[in-house]
Amino acid sequence: MADSSKPVGSGNTALAFIVGGIVVGLAIIAFVVFSNGAIGTSDRPDVSVDIALPRPELPRAPELPPLRDLAPPTIPRPEPAPAA
């Protein structure tokens, strides 16, 4: 016997909602792509901007003190182990 407690076609409503959302999304994307993103603009205003700023100058760094010559450090050398 077939179980008749499950309503028939309940999954079709969710599927139709998902497919409808995809169709609406694709329609919006197609409109933006094919109209170059312009909605009702017939002429384009001049938006060129010329920015001329003076070049900033850094302050002089303080002079470093002269370094004195140092001898390289001495490193202790290992000695052989005592004979046992």
Side-chain angles (χ1 to χ4, degrees):
M1 272 172 96
D3 187 15
S4 62
S5 63
K6 181 179 178 186
V8 177
S10 64
N12 290 338
T13 306
L15 183 61
F17 182 72
I18 292 171
V19 170
I22 291 173
V23 169
V24 169
L26 286 176
I28 292 171
I29 291 172
F31 175 76
V32 170
V33 168
F34 289 121
S35 68
N36 292 328
I39 300 175
T41 58
S42 60
D43 58 347
R44 296 190 175 187
D46 183 23
V47 293
S48 62
V49 178
D50 183 25
I51 300 176
L53 297 174
R55 186 178 176 124
E57 293 183 16
L58 296 175
R60 270 185 68 90
E63 296 291 328
L64 292 175
L67 297 176
R68 49 191 170 120
D69 292 330
L70 297 175
T74 57
I75 300 174
R77 299 196 179 256
E79 298 177 5

